[in-house]
Amino acid sequence: MTIRNCLPAVLSVPTAAGVLIAAVAALAPATAAQATATSTAGTISTIAGGPGGPALATKVAMVPPGVSYAGGNLYVSDNFVQQVSARGALATLAGGLAGGPGIALGNAGPAADAGLQATATVVAPDGNLIIADKGDQQVRVVPATTGTFFGQRMTAGDIYRIAGTGKSGYSGDGGPGTQAELALPWDVVVDPAGNVLIADTKNSRIRVVAAKTGTFYGQAMTTGDIYTIAGDGQHGFSGNAGPAAAAALNAPQGLALDAAGNLVITDTGNNRIRVVAEKTGTFYGQAMTAGDIYTVAGDGKEQPASGVPALRTGMDYPRGVTVDAAGNVIVADLLNNRIRVIAERTGTFYGQAMTTGDIYTIAGTGAFAFSGDGGPAVKAALSMPSGVAVDGSGNLAIADWDNNRIRVIAEKTGTFYGVPMTAGDIYTVAGNGSLSLSGNGLPATHAELTAGQLATDAAGDVFLADFSNCEIRVVAAKTGTLYGQAMTAGGIYAIAGTGRNGYSGNNGRATVAKLAFPDGVAVDAAGNVIIADTDNNRIRMVAAKTGTFYGVAMTAGDIYNLAGNGQIGNTGDGGSASAAELDSPDGVAVDAAGNVLVADTDNNMIRVVAASTGHFYGRQMTAGDIYDVAGDGAEGYNGDGRLATSAKLDSPATVAVDAAGNVVLTDTDGNRVRVVAEKTGTFYGQTMTANDIYTVAGDGTAGYAGDGSLATTARLDFPSGVAVDSAGNLLIADTGNVRVRVVAAKTGTFYGVAMTADHIYTVAGDGTDGFSGDGGPATAADLSGPSDAIAVGPDIDLSDGGRIRQVAG
């Protein structure tokens, strides 16, 4: 599942960062082909998927909460840290994959391999990249050069923690930043002395990590220590014209520094913009005293107005903030879907005549929508803009968060970020409008994806149910034509689905048909692709060549309905599969006779669509009809050693068939792997009777235990994928344990691990949710919710969140 997070803005700092870019680029991972070429048994590599790029920035998917600017480049916080060059090229600087809350992976290691949930970035005057890692409750640094920063010895291109322990809370003021607790640090900015200011949002404070020892913000500070400079920790509104540290803030999310050194804060929960004066003087039309706090915009209400005094208008969840060269304060007014400007002085800015102290809308109509590219910014629609930054040419960059784009309002006519622009108009410079879909037609390692069930054909092509993107995609094993498309070896291609959720297209081209969160995929002996079109409650098929399959005349590259009438239910057993009701089918498989097995998940059943008329699974079947193979439709667990159709299952998510014809299934919510015997005999160390069901892994208790012991005594946690390799071993995607595990069919060494028959072993994953480990032992790698694993020759391919990874056999 892909999850959106409400994330904060990022501030611009006009400084060069070329050293940083070179340092991080030097750490770029090897290609999949290179990794495979040097692999030994048990090592792991990535063969598809990642943060996108290198690519044209407008072709890459993103969910950008913020944007900053430095040295001619835009920096996008997209969980990863991405860079958009002046020519519009995108590269990933930090973050292999978003980690889970509290999991700050990769500290003191290469930034490119770190787990991040980056919500804001800023490049410091010394070229160091500062990252607000909200999900991991930390602020982190990627140094541009090797040296000592914030009291720590650092190596260029690696990533280090300078604030936060990884645990959400509030502690540590006056001590080392690395020992302090933060709570949702959403934004960062760097002052001229190099100190890092943090919007510690959930603590309703603004805090500082000192870059060097000295007196700052009226306090004596020590290098590397952390201090509060605004907010008393109470979630409220108070303290105007008094000391900032005694004032109440309410979930501040954005920070900026103006030319005078004043700190501008989006007091988000209070729907106000506030300023902490750096020195005594008159700013924003008000007399201010150094160290005190003042409101400069917002009346605490939500309704916006333009051309009125800034203190007399509403804002609705103001998030990002920056200050332009003229001293105007620019605010991303998130829920009003507008970019607004508080004029520092009277003049013409952004094509409008402005008066000192008044507020103006310069982009956004107020509608939650996407429109207006290539036209006036004030007529364009935005959707929850969350960050703003001003570049070196005076253009305004906007993180149009819910539109999955970075957009720019041109200050003057010219070409910026590879896009020809007209002054005052708005343009997309990064993001393709998608949450996580990019890269079709490119090398698979440059693609963005969400990995569900995997399958492979005889040629070695790997098929992926990209469920969140509503596509079926293939990584081509060799150059040629597949499903009516020209493909290049190692490239990734969509063979079904448009990328948009829906239902359409039967009996026509599969690439223009709509799917609804397809979670399962399989390939039959003829190369036809079988799809569990999960939210459409159907099983569909893409024909590999023109012919008659499953009783239907088909054309190569077209899509057809094989089972399910689209209605949620449990009907049709013994009748036409296309007229039957299914309920959220998650998995599909094909047996040796060509029959299609379906994990009818919410019906708690395994069902089969007969490819031909004959006797299968203890029943006489008719071609094109559907039959129950396991499960009585009730949720639960019972029936081991009895007829499989009378047993209770608990949300079976995937199904496979072994070499003996036995049906293997994940009893997912039951935390077991079970087998329906095809014939009487001994399988998986048990004596089995044809058509009866047996547990072969898991004791039914969610947890992690049992490696090196009998599989039936082990604990699994939400096993969502199962497959059988050529040696007969069971591969289990033990999703909740963030591991891939193997039940050995015989005693021997598999995937670099010595195994005993019928015992269970971890072959990938160290139990930590995240991304790491390419090129090293798979058992030491961090995975991200593996949902399937298949055998491809001697290797295992596994779906790992936003990647397909491979464990060498």
Side-chain angles (χ1 to χ4, degrees):
M1 178 181 295
T2 302
I3 301 173
R4 292 190 183 191
N5 291 315
C6 295
L7 306 175
V10 183
L11 177 70
S12 66
V13 172
T15 184
V19 177
L20 168 68
I21 305 312
V24 178
L27 299 168
T31 65
Q34 290 169 331
T36 301
T38 58
S39 293
T40 57
T43 61
I44 193 168
S45 60
T46 295
I47 63 171
L56 187 66
T58 51
K59 300 295 185 182
V60 174
M62 57 179 57
V63 188
V67 61
S68 63
Y69 172 81
N73 304 303
L74 294 177
Y75 294 82
V76 181
S77 306
D78 181 31
N79 279 326
F80 320 103
V81 178
Q82 315 256 37
Q83 181 200 63
V84 181
S85 74
R87 294 186 178 182
L90 180 137
T92 300
L93 300 184
L97 191 70
I103 302 169
L105 305 167
N107 281 326
D113 293 340
L116 291 174
Q117 289 191 30
T119 57
T121 61
V122 64
V123 177
D126 57 9
N128 294 336
L129 176 67
I130 315 296
I131 303 167
D133 189 355
K134 178 204 71 131
D136 296 323
Q137 315 295 345
Q138 297 186 6
V139 173
R140 304 167 80 180
V141 173
V142 181
T145 58
T146 297
T148 300
F149 307 99
F150 304 98
Q152 299 181 52
R153 186 66 181 170
M154 300 185 182
T155 300
D158 285 358
I159 193 166
Y160 300 86
R161 173 173 56 96
I162 63 166
T165 64
K167 179 181 177 182
S168 178
Y170 172 71
S171 68
D173 267 4
T178 53
Q179 296 178 24
E181 290 176 344
L182 306 176
L184 303 184
W186 276 14
D187 201 5
V188 284
V189 67
V190 179
D191 70 17
N195 304 309
V196 176
L197 287 76
I198 305 165
D200 194 0
T201 301
K202 198 172 178 180
N203 284 322
S204 289
R205 289 176 165 92
I206 308 303
R207 303 172 81 179
V208 171
V209 179
K212 57 185 177 182
T213 298
T215 299
F216 310 99
Y217 307 100
Q219 299 185 48
M221 299 187 181
T222 300
T223 302
D225 286 0
I226 193 168
Y227 305 85
T228 293
I229 61 168
D232 63 1
Q234 302 300 310
H235 303 293
F237 175 72
S238 70
N240 266 341
L249 306 174
N250 192 356
Q253 293 191 5
L255 301 175
L257 288 166
D258 67 17
N262 302 310
L263 175 63
V264 184
I265 304 168
T266 58
D267 195 357
T268 305
N270 285 323
N271 291 317
R272 290 174 167 92
I273 306 302
R274 302 175 82 179
V275 168
V276 179
E278 166 65 9
K279 57 185 176 182
T280 298
T282 299
F283 308 101
Y284 308 103
Q286 298 183 48
M288 298 187 181
T289 300
D292 287 358
I293 193 168
Y294 302 84
T295 296
V296 298
D299 60 7
K301 300 176 183 178
E302 298 173 354
Q303 190 63 38
S306 190
V308 301
L311 287 166
R312 289 207 234 146
T313 186
M315 296 184 170
D316 196 353
Y317 215 74
R319 179 167 282 175
V321 64
T322 192
V323 181
D324 67 17
N328 303 307
V329 175
I330 305 167
V331 181
D333 196 356
L334 184 97
L335 296 181
N336 278 322
N337 299 301
R338 291 174 167 91
I339 305 300
R340 304 174 76 187
V341 170
I342 304 159
E344 165 63 6
R345 57 188 171 86
T346 298
T348 299
F349 308 100
Y350 307 100
Q352 298 184 47
M354 298 187 182
T355 301
T356 301
D358 286 1
I359 194 167
Y360 301 84
T361 294
I362 61 168
T365 62
F368 285 88
F370 172 74
S371 70
D373 266 7
V378 290
K379 295 182 178 179
L382 308 174
S383 189
M384 301 177 72
S386 59
V388 283
V390 179
D391 72 13
S393 299
N395 304 308
L396 179 64
I398 302 166
D400 196 359
W401 173 62
D402 206 42
N403 280 324
N404 307 112
R405 292 172 168 91
I406 301 295
R407 302 171 80 180
V408 166
I409 303 173
E411 169 65 10
K412 57 186 177 182
T413 298
T415 298
F416 307 99
Y417 311 106
V419 179
M421 300 185 185
T422 300
D425 288 357
I426 193 169
Y427 303 85
T428 294
V429 299
N432 63 9
S434 170
L435 183 68
S436 57
L437 175 65
S438 73
N440 283 330
L442 296 176
T445 49
H446 295 182
E448 291 166 286
L449 50 85
T450 54
Q453 188 174 345
L454 304 176
T456 188
D457 63 13
D461 304 301
V462 177
F463 297 80
L464 161 69
D466 194 344
F467 58 93
S468 289
N469 292 316
C470 300
E471 287 193 354
I472 303 299
R473 303 170 81 178
V474 62
V475 180
K478 58 184 179 181
T479 299
T481 299
L482 196 63
Y483 303 98
Q485 296 184 54
M487 299 187 183
T488 301
I492 192 167
Y493 303 85
I495 61 168
T498 64
R500 292 188 175 274
N501 176 41
Y503 176 72
S504 68
N506 269 340
N507 307 315
R509 299 300 297 172
T511 50
V512 298
K514 288 183 178 178
L515 307 174
F517 303 109
D519 209 8
V521 64
V523 183
D524 69 15
N528 303 309
V529 177
I530 316 297
I531 303 166
D533 194 359
T534 304
D535 272 21
N536 280 324
N537 298 296
R538 290 177 163 93
I539 306 302
R540 301 171 79 180
M541 193 185 92
V542 180
K545 56 185 177 181
T546 299
T548 299
F549 309 99
Y550 305 97
V552 179
M554 300 186 181
T555 301
D558 285 3
I559 193 168
Y560 301 86
N561 198 63
L562 189 62
N565 62 10
Q567 301 300 308
I568 297 174
N570 181 5
T571 64
D573 208 48
S576 171
S578 59
E581 293 176 344
L582 305 174
D583 192 353
S584 300
D586 274 350
V588 285
V590 181
D591 68 16
N595 304 309
V596 175
L597 291 142
V598 180
D600 195 358
T601 304
D602 284 358
N603 277 326
N604 300 296
M605 298 172 76
I606 304 298
R607 304 171 81 178
V608 64
V609 180
S612 58
T613 299
H615 194 82
F616 309 103
Y617 305 105
R619 297 178 68 170
Q620 183 64 29
M621 298 186 180
T622 301
D625 287 358
I626 193 167
Y627 302 87
D628 182 18
V629 171
D632 64 2
E635 179 182 303
Y637 168 72
N638 68 19
D640 270 2
R642 301 203 307 267
L643 191 65
T645 51
S646 66
K648 286 182 169 54
L649 307 179
D650 197 349
S651 301
T654 52
V655 61
V657 183
D658 68 17
N662 303 309
V663 176
V664 187
L665 61 104
T666 56
D667 201 356
T668 303
D669 281 355
N671 300 300
R672 293 174 171 91
V673 175
R674 303 175 79 181
V675 167
V676 180
E678 166 62 8
K679 57 187 176 182
T680 298
T682 300
F683 309 101
Y684 308 102
Q686 300 183 48
T687 301
M688 299 187 181
T689 300
N691 307 314
D692 286 359
I693 193 168
Y694 301 85
T695 294
V696 295
D699 67 0
T701 301
Y704 173 70
D707 266 8
S709 301
L710 281 171
T712 50
T713 65
R715 289 187 175 174
L716 307 175
D717 188 356
F718 201 76
S720 60
V722 67
V724 185
D725 69 13
S726 59
N729 303 308
L730 294 186
L731 314 178
I732 303 169
D734 194 0
T735 306
N737 284 320
V738 205
R739 290 173 165 91
V740 175
R741 302 171 81 180
V742 167
V743 180
K746 58 184 177 182
T747 299
T749 299
F750 307 99
Y751 313 107
V753 179
M755 301 185 184
T756 300
D758 308 319
H759 288 40
I760 193 168
Y761 302 86
T762 294
V763 296
D766 61 3
T768 301
D769 184 10
F771 171 76
S772 73
D774 272 2
T779 51
D782 298 326
L783 306 180
S784 183
S787 57
D788 199 19
I790 60 170
V792 184
D795 305 321
I796 297 173
D797 284 357
L798 61 103
S799 54
D800 185 32
R803 288 176 168 83
I804 301 174
R805 302 176 79 183
Q806 187 172 85
V807 180

